[in-house]
Amino acid sequence: MSRKIYFSTPGRFSAKRTLIGAISRCHHRLAPSHARKIARKLFLTPSRSPAVNAAPNGLERFTAQSQQGELQMYSLGAGPTWLLTHGWSGSASQFFPLMAHIASLGFRAVAFDHPAHGESGGHESHIPGFVQAINDVLDQVDNVSGVVAHSMGAAAVLESQHPQLDDLPLLLVAPVLNYRENLYATVRQSGYSLKLFDEIVQEVGDQHGYPIETIEPLMKLGSRRHPVVIAHDRNDRFASFSVTEKANDYQHVCLLPTDGLGHGRILKSDVTLQAFTDLAAKTDPAVHSVESATSSSDIVAPENNRQTTETSASVMDV
């Protein structure tokens, strides 16, 4: 159900939204404890979608332990490791085409399903849980050279204070850099009681010692000093491109705008694949020669369906 709320799009007056608002507010007044229990399940339960891409040849599966239970991990290739982290109601399978590309360049690509997502354990999720899962994985994965993050996963990476992240290049795809504003705007659009939703948010913050008021991905992006590349579609309906444009003012950030790739398809577009190649080459110049030598690599992603989109900047300019 939360997917319908968080991934709804603005529209005209809706009798259904009006009804949802009236019912949720009445429920909250008459039975506040029960209303909070239902709301917590509604807002903190992501959709477990089936894999969106076929597994590439050579993909290895293993598990890792986190404070929130067992995490399903995926690894492809050998070499310095790039960690990939998905967003809300997503899964590691969204990265399979990109993982194949990363592996073909001589790197190891490691992705995982966040708690209550994909094939990982758990029944609820939230941004403090995302941050904790990233930290737990970083504690167990050695030789990390960089991170790729999508949507809310990008916000969580920027929120993480794990020491391994301090010096790493980041590739952020369709990032949610105004997390709090985006969250409340989508719930407001659904018609659900904002007062009740705010109680759930505060409850989660208290439980994890992570008040929502401290979540500022855009500001924390500005405090980084190592290269950050952002691929973002101008017409993304779920993550604000106009907010991402503000990040382009930072000298260490390179924004690659696209058109027509939306919030999800951009993950396996030529723009994102090339952005990774250029960013990896900036930290390891041998990458470009490796790319030429492995153009016919055994590691392939079925049904890659790459799309070509012009960009207005080069990653190598970061």
Side-chain angles (χ1 to χ4, degrees):
M1 179 62 182
S2 65
R3 184 178 182 88
K4 294 182 180 179
I5 292 175
Y6 297 133
F7 292 98
S8 63
T9 52
R12 294 175 294 180
F13 170 80
S14 168
K16 183 178 180 181
R17 285 199 297 271
T18 302
L19 182 61
I20 289 173
I23 292 174
S24 60
R25 287 190 292 271
C26 182
H27 188 194
H28 192 202
R29 284 196 301 269
L30 298 177
S33 295
H34 186 259
R36 283 193 295 272
K37 180 180 179 180
I38 297 300
R40 186 175 181 113
K41 182 176 181 180
L42 174 67
F43 289 111
L44 303 183
T45 305
S47 299
R48 290 185 185 265
S49 304
V52 296
N53 293 297
N57 300 331
L59 184 73
E60 298 178 359
R61 297 162 58 94
F62 60 102
T63 58
Q65 295 301 316
S66 76
Q67 294 186 21
Q68 302 167 84
E70 193 171 79
L71 300 178
Q72 181 62 56
M73 308 283 296
Y74 308 83
S75 176
L76 186 67
T81 298
W82 278 74
L83 182 67
L84 300 95
T85 173
H86 65 77
W88 183 262
S89 286
S91 73
S93 69
Q94 293 175 281
F95 290 120
F96 285 170
L98 179 56
M99 290 176 71
H101 178 70
I102 292 172
S104 74
L105 296 178
F107 294 97
R108 179 190 182 210
V110 174
F112 67 98
D113 294 327
H114 274 282
H117 289 75
E119 298 181 23
S120 287
H123 299 288
E124 68 175 35
S125 194
H126 34 65
I127 195 163
F130 264 54
V131 174
Q132 186 60 58
I134 291 169
N135 292 343
D136 290 340
V137 169
L138 286 170
D139 283 341
Q140 300 173 65
V141 177
D142 298 325
N143 196 23
V144 177
S145 294
V147 177
V148 180
H150 178 235
S151 193
M152 178 174 147
V157 165
L158 293 171
E159 284 294 312
S160 171
Q161 298 181 24
H162 196 283
Q164 273 211 72
L165 290 174
D166 290 345
D167 302 325
L168 298 182
L170 304 180
L171 172 55
L172 308 181
V173 185
V176 180
L177 298 181
N178 60 334
Y179 175 79
R180 283 184 294 143
E181 294 84 352
N182 182 281
L183 180 66
Y184 277 91
T186 53
V187 174
R188 185 180 298 110
Q189 174 65 24
S190 76
Y192 209 87
S193 168
L194 279 177
K195 182 179 180 181
L196 177 53
F197 175 70
D198 191 57
E199 288 186 13
I200 301 304
V201 169
Q202 298 304 320
E203 184 176 273
V204 170
D206 291 343
Q207 288 178 341
H208 295 271
Y210 209 130
I212 194 169
E213 293 78 15
T214 67
I215 300 175
E216 295 282 357
L218 181 60
M219 181 187 72
K220 290 166 186 174
L221 172 60
S223 67
R224 293 187 60 84
R225 290 297 174 264
H226 288 75
V228 178
V229 176
I230 303 177
H232 202 160
D233 198 83
R234 291 184 176 90
N235 298 311
D236 190 324
R237 296 182 298 165
F238 308 116
S240 172
F241 177 79
S242 62
V243 173
T244 295
E245 279 188 302
K246 298 177 183 178
N248 206 33
D249 293 336
Y250 302 135
Q251 290 187 348
H252 61 288
V253 174
C254 175
L255 172 61
L256 303 177
T258 69
D259 291 294
L261 294 178
H263 189 67
R265 294 191 307 278
I266 190 173
L267 277 172
K268 57 182 181 180
S269 68
D270 279 343
V271 172
T272 299
L273 270 60
Q274 187 61 48
F276 174 83
T277 300
D278 291 345
L279 180 59
K282 187 172 179 65
T283 57
D284 183 356
V287 168
H288 278 301
S289 61
V290 170
E291 182 184 27
S292 299
T294 60
S295 59
S296 58
S297 171
D298 293 341
I299 303 173
V300 295
E303 302 176 358
N304 197 350
N305 296 327
R306 298 181 185 178
Q307 299 186 37
T308 302
T309 303
E310 292 185 357
T311 61
S312 61
S314 169
V315 175
M316 300 305 291
D317 294 334
V318 176

